[in-house]
Amino acid sequence: MSEPTAAHEEQGAVISTQGLTKRYRGGQLAVEGLDLSVPRGSVFGFLGPNGSGKTTTIRMLLGLIEPTGGSAHVLGEPMPGSARRVLPHVGALIEGPALYGYLTGRENLLRYDAADPTADPRSRAARADRALERVGLSAAAAKKARAYSLGMKQRLGLAAALLQPRELLVLDEPTNGLDPQGMREIRSLVRELADDGITVFLSSHLLDEIEQVCTHTAVMHRGRLITQGTVAQMSAGARGRLAVTTPDPGEATRVLKEAGVADLVTDGEEVSGEPPHAHELADLNAALVRAGVRVRAFGLRRASLEDVFVSLTGEGFDVAG
């Protein structure tokens, strides 16, 4: 195994790309000039609307498709050239697991394990049982996979990715199509895997998913990287919305509008909006009091990742990229 470059060692990056680009035949640009750095030990949320280039990036990182420009390193090795050395240390679940419905969950894992040329057949059964236990499917091991719920199928796919010890787990939209309970199960499992020291690279178009489980995130839009950093840094990057609770929402809206507060929204007794950068919040509160507005609560609501996305792109997050 070749030595990682000094730059990758210094950054402690499990995944890093420099100018990574993919242009398909016909000129369609899927990913352009991507510079990405995924710290070791992180739960890294790769965030963007459907069509923003997330899956294309993952396919390049795993050596499934060739980039048309730039470079990518995974575990310090260049991809796709080092795929044979790198991929045994990487577990992946892309666009849902491929399962044999007529086989049990355990039998599916035995098939997956048998397809791995590096797997010792003498310990195959023990590996399958250990993986099933890790994802909470031991009780359903003898059930046919076709009888599994979507959440159980996703967990079985994760079990397949965890048959061997992994340094990195790559998950592409792991909660897609799941009901709320299934989503909670997968999120809980991701946290447990991270606690075990596995770096998790998770792509998603669900903002709350990233905020709930990830330590770091990168935002993609129309094939380009918009920003990356810790989740806390991202949320701090947007100022947040002013929220005022008052029994006089009409008068409060008038006063705040005159003071330069933009995008005002009234919901019952709450008035919220984007505060002007030139005003101190205390000045806005004083203006309300001077106008006779009864203020019951006043403050700045923490910015969400959706706020960050809108502030960076000027578009809602449901825009197809």
Side-chain angles (χ1 to χ4, degrees):
M1 188 169 179
S2 65
E3 291 298 317
T5 66
H8 297 298
E9 288 178 340
E10 288 173 7
Q11 295 171 0
V14 172
I15 295 171
S16 64
T17 68
Q18 297 81 38
L20 191 65
T21 299
K22 181 62 179 179
R23 187 183 296 275
Y24 288 105
R25 289 179 183 176
Q28 180 192 354
L29 192 63
V31 176
E32 181 177 11
L34 177 61
D35 294 331
L36 194 65
S37 182
V38 178
R40 182 174 295 277
S42 64
V43 180
F44 194 97
F46 197 41
L47 180 63
N50 291 326
S52 59
K54 302 189 305 295
T55 298
T56 297
T57 299
I58 287 174
R59 290 182 176 279
M60 287 191 283
L61 293 174
L62 297 178
L64 299 175
I65 58 176
E66 291 262 3
T68 49
S71 63
H73 287 74
V74 177
L75 302 180
E77 295 273 1
M79 293 294 284
S82 301
R84 288 189 176 182
R85 290 193 298 273
V86 170
L87 293 183
H89 304 284
V90 179
L93 181 60
I94 303 175
E95 295 179 348
L99 303 174
Y100 295 100
Y102 63 91
L103 296 179
T104 66
R106 188 173 188 274
E107 289 167 344
N108 267 281
L109 291 192
L110 294 174
R111 285 283 184 95
Y112 271 111
D113 195 79
D116 183 350
T118 68
D120 184 352
R122 293 170 297 180
S123 52
R124 180 161 296 143
R127 274 194 302 278
D129 291 338
R130 189 164 55 246
L132 285 164
E133 182 178 0
R134 192 169 200 183
V135 301
L137 284 179
S138 295
K143 182 185 284 189
K144 300 287 186 186
R146 63 170 165 256
Y148 278 21
S149 67
L150 274 174
M152 292 170 71
K153 288 176 180 176
Q154 288 292 77
R155 281 193 281 160
L156 188 60
L158 282 170
L162 296 168
L163 283 165
Q164 296 284 357
R166 309 293 187 186
E167 290 182 56
L168 170 66
L169 189 60
V170 178
L171 308 177
D172 188 18
E173 300 279 0
T175 61
N176 224 9
L178 300 187
D179 60 19
Q181 177 60 30
M183 293 171 77
R184 283 192 293 270
E185 291 171 358
I186 296 300
R187 289 170 180 167
S188 176
L189 180 56
V190 166
R191 292 190 196 98
E192 291 171 12
L193 295 171
D195 288 342
D196 289 343
I198 298 174
T199 303
V200 182
F201 183 83
L202 183 158
S203 90
S204 181
H205 68 282
L206 303 174
L207 291 144
D208 64 333
E209 180 165 86
I210 299 298
E211 287 194 297
Q212 288 184 45
V213 302
C214 295
T215 59
H216 296 70
T217 187
V219 178
M220 293 287 288
H221 183 59
R222 302 185 186 278
R224 295 182 178 181
L225 179 68
I226 302 298
T227 187
Q228 65 183 313
T230 68
V231 170
Q233 287 169 338
M234 292 289 214
S235 294
R239 195 178 180 198
R241 287 179 67 83
L242 174 68
V244 179
T245 303
T246 172
D248 312 310
E251 183 65 7
T253 299
R254 183 191 66 77
V255 173
L256 292 173
K257 185 175 181 179
E258 288 179 356
V261 177
D263 190 27
L264 284 160
V265 176
T266 301
D267 183 9
E269 291 194 344
E270 182 181 272
V271 179
S272 64
E274 298 288 338
H277 289 280
H279 275 68
E280 289 289 336
L281 293 183
D283 294 338
L284 294 174
N285 192 22
L288 290 168
V289 174
R290 281 197 303 270
V293 175
R294 294 167 290 175
V295 178
R296 291 177 176 167
F298 180 97
L300 203 60
R301 185 172 294 148
R302 186 182 71 88
S304 68
L305 286 181
E306 183 169 13
D307 297 325
V308 174
F309 184 86
V310 172
S311 70
L312 290 169
T313 67
E315 297 181 0
F317 201 75
D318 58 350
V319 176

Short mmCIF file of all heavy atoms in Angstrom, two decimals, residues 2-65:
data_model
loop_
_atom_site.label_atom_id
_atom_site.label_comp_id
_atom_site.label_asym_id
_atom_site.label_seq_id
_atom_site.Cartn_x
_atom_site.Cartn_y
_atom_site.Cartn_z
N SER A 2 0.67 2.14 -0.94
CA SER A 2 1.51 3.32 -1.04
C SER A 2 1.21 4.28 0.10
O SER A 2 0.13 4.28 0.68
CB SER A 2 1.29 4.02 -2.38
OG SER A 2 -0.02 4.51 -2.47
N GLU A 3 2.22 5.11 0.42
CA GLU A 3 2.07 6.05 1.52
C GLU A 3 1.18 7.23 1.13
O GLU A 3 1.28 7.74 0.01
CB GLU A 3 3.45 6.58 1.92
CG GLU A 3 4.32 5.53 2.58
CD GLU A 3 3.73 5.01 3.87
OE1 GLU A 3 3.21 5.82 4.67
OE2 GLU A 3 3.75 3.79 4.08
N PRO A 4 0.31 7.70 2.04
CA PRO A 4 -0.48 8.89 1.75
C PRO A 4 0.45 10.09 1.55
O PRO A 4 1.55 10.14 2.09
CB PRO A 4 -1.34 9.06 3.00
CG PRO A 4 -1.34 7.73 3.68
CD PRO A 4 -0.01 7.14 3.35
N THR A 5 0.00 11.07 0.78
CA THR A 5 0.78 12.28 0.60
C THR A 5 0.81 13.07 1.90
O THR A 5 -0.05 12.91 2.77
CB THR A 5 0.16 13.17 -0.49
OG1 THR A 5 -1.11 13.62 -0.05
CG2 THR A 5 0.04 12.41 -1.80
N ALA A 6 1.82 13.93 2.04
CA ALA A 6 1.96 14.72 3.27
C ALA A 6 0.73 15.58 3.50
O ALA A 6 0.28 15.76 4.63
CB ALA A 6 3.21 15.59 3.19
N ALA A 7 0.17 16.15 2.41
CA ALA A 7 -1.00 17.02 2.55
C ALA A 7 -2.16 16.26 3.16
O ALA A 7 -2.86 16.76 4.03
CB ALA A 7 -1.39 17.59 1.20
N HIS A 8 -2.37 15.01 2.71
CA HIS A 8 -3.48 14.24 3.25
C HIS A 8 -3.24 13.87 4.71
O HIS A 8 -4.16 13.83 5.51
CB HIS A 8 -3.71 12.99 2.40
CG HIS A 8 -4.09 13.31 0.99
ND1 HIS A 8 -5.23 14.00 0.69
CD2 HIS A 8 -3.49 13.05 -0.19
CE1 HIS A 8 -5.32 14.15 -0.63
NE2 HIS A 8 -4.27 13.59 -1.18
N GLU A 9 -1.99 13.58 5.07
CA GLU A 9 -1.69 13.25 6.46
C GLU A 9 -1.94 14.46 7.36
O GLU A 9 -2.48 14.33 8.45
CB GLU A 9 -0.24 12.78 6.56
CG GLU A 9 0.01 11.39 5.96
CD GLU A 9 1.46 11.00 6.06
OE1 GLU A 9 2.31 11.89 6.21
OE2 GLU A 9 1.75 9.80 5.97
N GLU A 10 -1.50 15.64 6.91
CA GLU A 10 -1.66 16.85 7.72
C GLU A 10 -3.13 17.16 7.95
O GLU A 10 -3.53 17.52 9.05
CB GLU A 10 -0.99 18.03 7.01
CG GLU A 10 0.54 17.96 7.04
CD GLU A 10 1.17 19.04 6.19
OE1 GLU A 10 0.44 19.91 5.68
OE2 GLU A 10 2.40 19.01 6.03
N GLN A 11 -3.94 16.99 6.93
CA GLN A 11 -5.35 17.32 7.05
C GLN A 11 -6.13 16.25 7.79
O GLN A 11 -7.21 16.49 8.30
CB GLN A 11 -5.95 17.51 5.65
CG GLN A 11 -5.39 18.70 4.89
CD GLN A 11 -5.85 18.73 3.44
OE1 GLN A 11 -6.60 17.85 3.00
NE2 GLN A 11 -5.41 19.72 2.71
N GLY A 12 -5.56 15.04 7.90
CA GLY A 12 -6.29 13.94 8.50
C GLY A 12 -7.53 13.61 7.71
O GLY A 12 -8.55 13.19 8.26
N ALA A 13 -7.46 13.81 6.39
CA ALA A 13 -8.65 13.63 5.54
C ALA A 13 -8.78 12.19 5.10
O ALA A 13 -7.85 11.60 4.56
CB ALA A 13 -8.56 14.55 4.32
N VAL A 14 -9.95 11.61 5.34
CA VAL A 14 -10.26 10.27 4.85
C VAL A 14 -10.63 10.33 3.37
O VAL A 14 -10.34 9.42 2.60
CB VAL A 14 -11.40 9.66 5.69
CG1 VAL A 14 -11.89 8.35 5.08
CG2 VAL A 14 -10.92 9.43 7.11
N ILE A 15 -11.30 11.41 2.99
CA ILE A 15 -11.61 11.70 1.58
C ILE A 15 -11.13 13.10 1.27
O ILE A 15 -11.36 14.02 2.06
CB ILE A 15 -13.13 11.62 1.31
CG1 ILE A 15 -13.66 10.21 1.50
CG2 ILE A 15 -13.46 12.10 -0.10
CD1 ILE A 15 -15.19 10.12 1.45
N SER A 16 -10.44 13.28 0.15
CA SER A 16 -10.11 14.62 -0.30
C SER A 16 -10.12 14.65 -1.82
O SER A 16 -9.74 13.68 -2.47
CB SER A 16 -8.74 15.07 0.23
OG SER A 16 -7.71 14.27 -0.29
N THR A 17 -10.60 15.74 -2.36
CA THR A 17 -10.63 15.92 -3.81
C THR A 17 -10.05 17.29 -4.16
O THR A 17 -10.14 18.22 -3.37
CB THR A 17 -12.06 15.81 -4.38
OG1 THR A 17 -12.84 16.94 -3.94
CG2 THR A 17 -12.75 14.53 -3.93
N GLN A 18 -9.47 17.37 -5.34
CA GLN A 18 -8.94 18.63 -5.84
C GLN A 18 -9.45 18.83 -7.27
O GLN A 18 -9.07 18.06 -8.17
CB GLN A 18 -7.41 18.64 -5.83
CG GLN A 18 -6.78 18.53 -4.44
CD GLN A 18 -6.72 17.11 -3.91
OE1 GLN A 18 -6.47 16.17 -4.65
NE2 GLN A 18 -6.98 16.96 -2.62
N GLY A 19 -10.31 19.81 -7.45
CA GLY A 19 -10.81 20.12 -8.78
C GLY A 19 -11.57 18.99 -9.46
O GLY A 19 -11.63 18.94 -10.69
N LEU A 20 -12.16 18.11 -8.67
CA LEU A 20 -12.82 16.92 -9.24
C LEU A 20 -13.99 17.34 -10.13
O LEU A 20 -14.87 18.11 -9.72
CB LEU A 20 -13.32 16.02 -8.11
CG LEU A 20 -13.81 14.62 -8.52
CD1 LEU A 20 -12.65 13.80 -9.07
CD2 LEU A 20 -14.44 13.90 -7.32
N THR A 21 -14.00 16.82 -11.35
CA THR A 21 -14.98 17.24 -12.35
C THR A 21 -15.49 16.03 -13.12
O THR A 21 -14.72 15.10 -13.42
CB THR A 21 -14.35 18.24 -13.34
OG1 THR A 21 -13.93 19.40 -12.61
CG2 THR A 21 -15.33 18.65 -14.43
N LYS A 22 -16.77 16.02 -13.43
CA LYS A 22 -17.36 14.98 -14.28
C LYS A 22 -18.29 15.63 -15.29
O LYS A 22 -19.27 16.28 -14.93
CB LYS A 22 -18.14 13.95 -13.46
CG LYS A 22 -18.76 12.84 -14.30
CD LYS A 22 -17.71 12.02 -15.02
CE LYS A 22 -18.32 10.89 -15.84
NZ LYS A 22 -17.28 10.09 -16.55
N ARG A 23 -17.94 15.45 -16.56
CA ARG A 23 -18.77 15.91 -17.66
C ARG A 23 -19.18 14.69 -18.47
O ARG A 23 -18.33 13.93 -18.92
CB ARG A 23 -18.02 16.91 -18.54
CG ARG A 23 -18.89 17.56 -19.61
CD ARG A 23 -18.06 18.49 -20.50
NE ARG A 23 -17.52 19.62 -19.77
CZ ARG A 23 -18.18 20.75 -19.55
NH1 ARG A 23 -19.43 20.88 -20.00
NH2 ARG A 23 -17.62 21.74 -18.89
N TYR A 24 -20.49 14.50 -18.65
CA TYR A 24 -20.98 13.35 -19.41
C TYR A 24 -20.99 13.66 -20.90
O TYR A 24 -20.87 14.81 -21.33
CB TYR A 24 -22.39 12.96 -18.93
CG TYR A 24 -22.39 12.32 -17.57
CD1 TYR A 24 -22.84 13.03 -16.44
CD2 TYR A 24 -21.94 11.01 -17.39
CE1 TYR A 24 -22.84 12.44 -15.18
CE2 TYR A 24 -21.93 10.42 -16.14
CZ TYR A 24 -22.39 11.12 -15.04
OH TYR A 24 -22.38 10.55 -13.80
N ARG A 25 -21.15 12.61 -21.69
CA ARG A 25 -21.25 12.77 -23.14
C ARG A 25 -22.42 13.69 -23.47
O ARG A 25 -23.47 13.60 -22.86
CB ARG A 25 -21.44 11.42 -23.82
CG ARG A 25 -20.20 10.53 -23.79
CD ARG A 25 -20.46 9.20 -24.46
NE ARG A 25 -19.30 8.32 -24.38
CZ ARG A 25 -19.28 7.07 -24.81
NH1 ARG A 25 -20.36 6.54 -25.35
NH2 ARG A 25 -18.18 6.34 -24.70
N GLY A 26 -22.22 14.53 -24.43
CA GLY A 26 -23.23 15.52 -24.75
C GLY A 26 -22.99 16.84 -24.05
O GLY A 26 -23.72 17.81 -24.26
N GLY A 27 -21.96 16.86 -23.17
CA GLY A 27 -21.58 18.12 -22.53
C GLY A 27 -22.21 18.39 -21.19
O GLY A 27 -21.93 19.43 -20.58
N GLN A 28 -23.07 17.49 -20.69
CA GLN A 28 -23.72 17.74 -19.40
C GLN A 28 -22.70 17.72 -18.28
O GLN A 28 -21.97 16.75 -18.08
CB GLN A 28 -24.79 16.69 -19.12
CG GLN A 28 -25.50 16.91 -17.78
CD GLN A 28 -26.35 15.72 -17.36
OE1 GLN A 28 -26.50 14.76 -18.12
NE2 GLN A 28 -26.90 15.78 -16.16
N LEU A 29 -22.61 18.81 -17.54
CA LEU A 29 -21.66 18.94 -16.44
C LEU A 29 -22.35 18.53 -15.14
O LEU A 29 -23.27 19.20 -14.68
CB LEU A 29 -21.15 20.37 -16.35
CG LEU A 29 -19.95 20.63 -15.44
CD1 LEU A 29 -18.73 19.87 -15.92
CD2 LEU A 29 -19.66 22.12 -15.37
N ALA A 30 -21.91 17.42 -14.55
CA ALA A 30 -22.54 16.91 -13.33
C ALA A 30 -21.84 17.41 -12.07
O ALA A 30 -22.49 17.72 -11.07
CB ALA A 30 -22.55 15.38 -13.34
N VAL A 31 -20.51 17.49 -12.10
CA VAL A 31 -19.72 17.97 -10.97
C VAL A 31 -18.61 18.83 -11.54
O VAL A 31 -17.95 18.44 -12.51
CB VAL A 31 -19.12 16.81 -10.15
CG1 VAL A 31 -18.23 17.33 -9.04
CG2 VAL A 31 -20.22 15.93 -9.58
N GLU A 32 -18.36 20.00 -10.92
CA GLU A 32 -17.37 20.92 -11.46
C GLU A 32 -16.44 21.43 -10.37
O GLU A 32 -16.86 22.03 -9.38
CB GLU A 32 -18.04 22.12 -12.13
CG GLU A 32 -17.06 23.11 -12.74
CD GLU A 32 -17.73 24.25 -13.47
OE1 GLU A 32 -18.97 24.40 -13.32
OE2 GLU A 32 -17.04 24.99 -14.18
N GLY A 33 -15.13 21.15 -10.53
CA GLY A 33 -14.10 21.74 -9.68
C GLY A 33 -14.28 21.50 -8.20
O GLY A 33 -14.09 22.41 -7.39
N LEU A 34 -14.59 20.26 -7.80
CA LEU A 34 -14.92 19.97 -6.41
C LEU A 34 -13.66 19.81 -5.56
O LEU A 34 -12.83 18.95 -5.82
CB LEU A 34 -15.76 18.70 -6.33
CG LEU A 34 -16.16 18.20 -4.95
CD1 LEU A 34 -17.01 19.24 -4.23
CD2 LEU A 34 -16.92 16.88 -5.04
N ASP A 35 -13.52 20.65 -4.54
CA ASP A 35 -12.44 20.55 -3.54
C ASP A 35 -13.09 20.18 -2.21
O ASP A 35 -13.71 21.03 -1.56
CB ASP A 35 -11.69 21.87 -3.40
CG ASP A 35 -10.93 22.25 -4.66
OD1 ASP A 35 -10.51 21.35 -5.41
OD2 ASP A 35 -10.77 23.46 -4.91
N LEU A 36 -12.93 18.94 -1.81
CA LEU A 36 -13.63 18.41 -0.65
C LEU A 36 -12.62 17.81 0.33
O LEU A 36 -11.63 17.21 -0.09
CB LEU A 36 -14.61 17.32 -1.11
CG LEU A 36 -15.69 16.84 -0.14
CD1 LEU A 36 -16.67 17.97 0.15
CD2 LEU A 36 -16.43 15.66 -0.76
N SER A 37 -12.87 17.98 1.63
CA SER A 37 -12.01 17.39 2.65
C SER A 37 -12.88 16.82 3.78
O SER A 37 -13.60 17.56 4.44
CB SER A 37 -11.05 18.43 3.21
OG SER A 37 -10.18 17.86 4.17
N VAL A 38 -12.81 15.50 3.97
CA VAL A 38 -13.63 14.81 4.97
C VAL A 38 -12.72 14.36 6.11
O VAL A 38 -11.89 13.47 5.93
CB VAL A 38 -14.34 13.59 4.35
CG1 VAL A 38 -15.14 12.83 5.41
CG2 VAL A 38 -15.25 14.03 3.21
N PRO A 39 -12.83 14.98 7.31
CA PRO A 39 -11.93 14.63 8.42
C PRO A 39 -12.17 13.21 8.93
O PRO A 39 -13.30 12.72 8.96
CB PRO A 39 -12.29 15.66 9.50
CG PRO A 39 -13.05 16.73 8.80
CD PRO A 39 -13.75 16.07 7.65
N ARG A 40 -11.08 12.57 9.33
CA ARG A 40 -11.18 11.24 9.93
C ARG A 40 -12.00 11.31 11.21
O ARG A 40 -11.87 12.23 12.01
CB ARG A 40 -9.79 10.69 10.23
CG ARG A 40 -9.79 9.27 10.81
CD ARG A 40 -8.38 8.74 10.96
NE ARG A 40 -7.73 8.57 9.66
CZ ARG A 40 -7.88 7.51 8.87
NH1 ARG A 40 -8.68 6.53 9.25
NH2 ARG A 40 -7.24 7.44 7.73
N GLY A 41 -12.89 10.34 11.40
CA GLY A 41 -13.72 10.27 12.60
C GLY A 41 -14.98 11.10 12.56
O GLY A 41 -15.75 11.11 13.51
N SER A 42 -15.21 11.80 11.45
CA SER A 42 -16.40 12.65 11.35
C SER A 42 -17.60 11.87 10.84
O SER A 42 -17.47 10.79 10.25
CB SER A 42 -16.12 13.83 10.40
OG SER A 42 -15.88 13.37 9.08
N VAL A 43 -18.79 12.43 11.10
CA VAL A 43 -19.99 12.03 10.35
C VAL A 43 -20.23 13.19 9.40
O VAL A 43 -20.65 14.27 9.82
CB VAL A 43 -21.20 11.81 11.28
CG1 VAL A 43 -22.42 11.40 10.46
CG2 VAL A 43 -20.89 10.75 12.32
N PHE A 44 -19.92 12.98 8.15
CA PHE A 44 -19.86 14.06 7.17
C PHE A 44 -21.10 14.04 6.30
O PHE A 44 -21.36 13.08 5.58
CB PHE A 44 -18.61 13.89 6.30
CG PHE A 44 -18.26 15.12 5.48
CD1 PHE A 44 -17.31 16.01 5.94
CD2 PHE A 44 -18.88 15.37 4.27
CE1 PHE A 44 -16.97 17.15 5.21
CE2 PHE A 44 -18.55 16.49 3.52
CZ PHE A 44 -17.59 17.38 3.99
N GLY A 45 -21.88 15.10 6.38
CA GLY A 45 -23.10 15.20 5.60
C GLY A 45 -22.84 15.88 4.26
O GLY A 45 -22.42 17.04 4.22
N PHE A 46 -23.08 15.15 3.18
CA PHE A 46 -22.90 15.68 1.82
C PHE A 46 -24.27 16.12 1.36
O PHE A 46 -25.11 15.30 0.98
CB PHE A 46 -22.31 14.58 0.94
CG PHE A 46 -21.71 15.06 -0.35
CD1 PHE A 46 -20.96 16.22 -0.41
CD2 PHE A 46 -21.87 14.33 -1.52
CE1 PHE A 46 -20.39 16.64 -1.59
CE2 PHE A 46 -21.30 14.74 -2.70
CZ PHE A 46 -20.56 15.90 -2.74
N LEU A 47 -24.52 17.42 1.42
CA LEU A 47 -25.87 17.96 1.36
C LEU A 47 -26.14 18.67 0.04
O LEU A 47 -25.31 19.42 -0.45
CB LEU A 47 -26.04 18.94 2.52
CG LEU A 47 -27.36 19.66 2.72
CD1 LEU A 47 -28.47 18.67 3.02
CD2 LEU A 47 -27.23 20.66 3.87
N GLY A 48 -27.33 18.43 -0.51
CA GLY A 48 -27.73 19.15 -1.72
C GLY A 48 -29.05 18.61 -2.23
O GLY A 48 -29.43 17.48 -1.94
N PRO A 49 -29.78 19.42 -3.01
CA PRO A 49 -31.03 18.94 -3.61
C PRO A 49 -30.76 17.78 -4.55
O PRO A 49 -29.63 17.57 -5.01
CB PRO A 49 -31.54 20.16 -4.39
CG PRO A 49 -30.75 21.32 -3.89
CD PRO A 49 -29.46 20.80 -3.41
N ASN A 50 -31.80 17.00 -4.84
CA ASN A 50 -31.66 15.94 -5.83
C ASN A 50 -31.18 16.54 -7.15
O ASN A 50 -31.67 17.57 -7.59
CB ASN A 50 -33.00 15.23 -6.03
CG ASN A 50 -33.40 14.42 -4.81
OD1 ASN A 50 -32.56 13.88 -4.12
ND2 ASN A 50 -34.69 14.35 -4.54
N GLY A 51 -30.18 15.90 -7.75
CA GLY A 51 -29.64 16.39 -9.00
C GLY A 51 -28.49 17.35 -8.86
O GLY A 51 -28.03 17.93 -9.83
N SER A 52 -27.97 17.52 -7.63
CA SER A 52 -26.89 18.50 -7.42
C SER A 52 -25.50 17.92 -7.60
O SER A 52 -24.51 18.65 -7.46
CB SER A 52 -27.01 19.11 -6.01
OG SER A 52 -26.93 18.11 -5.02
N GLY A 53 -25.40 16.63 -7.91
CA GLY A 53 -24.10 16.02 -8.18
C GLY A 53 -23.58 15.11 -7.08
O GLY A 53 -22.45 14.63 -7.16
N LYS A 54 -24.39 14.83 -6.07
CA LYS A 54 -23.92 14.03 -4.93
C LYS A 54 -23.59 12.60 -5.34
O LYS A 54 -22.51 12.09 -5.03
CB LYS A 54 -24.98 14.04 -3.81
CG LYS A 54 -25.35 15.42 -3.31
CD LYS A 54 -26.21 15.37 -2.07
CE LYS A 54 -27.48 14.55 -2.23
NZ LYS A 54 -28.41 15.14 -3.23
N THR A 55 -24.53 11.93 -6.00
CA THR A 55 -24.31 10.53 -6.36
C THR A 55 -23.17 10.39 -7.37
O THR A 55 -22.36 9.45 -7.30
CB THR A 55 -25.60 9.89 -6.91
OG1 THR A 55 -26.60 9.92 -5.88
CG2 THR A 55 -25.37 8.45 -7.32
N THR A 56 -23.08 11.31 -8.32
CA THR A 56 -21.98 11.28 -9.27
C THR A 56 -20.64 11.38 -8.55
O THR A 56 -19.68 10.66 -8.86
CB THR A 56 -22.12 12.43 -10.29
OG1 THR A 56 -23.32 12.26 -11.03
CG2 THR A 56 -20.93 12.45 -11.25
N THR A 57 -20.56 12.26 -7.54
CA THR A 57 -19.34 12.39 -6.76
C THR A 57 -19.01 11.10 -6.05
O THR A 57 -17.85 10.63 -6.07
CB THR A 57 -19.48 13.53 -5.73
OG1 THR A 57 -19.71 14.76 -6.41
CG2 THR A 57 -18.25 13.64 -4.86
N ILE A 58 -20.00 10.48 -5.42
CA ILE A 58 -19.77 9.23 -4.71
C ILE A 58 -19.28 8.15 -5.66
O ILE A 58 -18.35 7.38 -5.33
CB ILE A 58 -21.07 8.79 -3.98
CG1 ILE A 58 -21.30 9.69 -2.78
CG2 ILE A 58 -20.99 7.33 -3.55
CD1 ILE A 58 -22.62 9.45 -2.08
N ARG A 59 -19.85 8.08 -6.85
CA ARG A 59 -19.41 7.07 -7.82
C ARG A 59 -17.96 7.29 -8.24
O ARG A 59 -17.21 6.34 -8.45
CB ARG A 59 -20.34 7.07 -9.03
CG ARG A 59 -21.74 6.53 -8.70
CD ARG A 59 -22.64 6.49 -9.93
NE ARG A 59 -23.91 5.88 -9.63
CZ ARG A 59 -24.14 4.57 -9.57
NH1 ARG A 59 -23.15 3.73 -9.81
NH2 ARG A 59 -25.32 4.10 -9.28
N MET A 60 -17.54 8.55 -8.35
CA MET A 60 -16.13 8.82 -8.65
C MET A 60 -15.24 8.43 -7.48
O MET A 60 -14.16 7.85 -7.67
CB MET A 60 -15.95 10.29 -9.02
CG MET A 60 -16.51 10.66 -10.38
SD MET A 60 -16.00 12.33 -10.93
CE MET A 60 -17.09 13.37 -9.94
N LEU A 61 -15.66 8.74 -6.26
CA LEU A 61 -14.86 8.41 -5.08
C LEU A 61 -14.65 6.91 -4.94
O LEU A 61 -13.58 6.46 -4.49
CB LEU A 61 -15.54 8.95 -3.81
CG LEU A 61 -15.62 10.46 -3.66
CD1 LEU A 61 -16.44 10.83 -2.43
CD2 LEU A 61 -14.21 11.07 -3.56
N LEU A 62 -15.64 6.12 -5.32
CA LEU A 62 -15.56 4.67 -5.19
C LEU A 62 -14.98 4.00 -6.43
O LEU A 62 -14.90 2.77 -6.49
CB LEU A 62 -16.95 4.09 -4.89
CG LEU A 62 -17.57 4.53 -3.56
CD1 LEU A 62 -18.96 3.93 -3.40
CD2 LEU A 62 -16.68 4.14 -2.38
N GLY A 63 -14.59 4.79 -7.43
CA GLY A 63 -13.98 4.22 -8.62
C GLY A 63 -14.96 3.58 -9.57
O GLY A 63 -14.56 2.81 -10.45
N LEU A 64 -16.25 3.89 -9.41
CA LEU A 64 -17.26 3.28 -10.29
C LEU A 64 -17.33 4.00 -11.63
O LEU A 64 -17.72 3.40 -12.64
CB LEU A 64 -18.63 3.31 -9.60
CG LEU A 64 -18.72 2.55 -8.28
CD1 LEU A 64 -20.09 2.75 -7.63
CD2 LEU A 64 -18.47 1.05 -8.52
N ILE A 65 -16.99 5.29 -11.65
CA ILE A 65 -16.91 6.04 -12.90
C ILE A 65 -15.64 6.89 -12.86
O ILE A 65 -15.15 7.24 -11.78
CB ILE A 65 -18.15 6.95 -13.14
CG1 ILE A 65 -18.34 7.94 -12.00
CG2 ILE A 65 -19.39 6.12 -13.38
CD1 ILE A 65 -19.48 8.93 -12.22
#
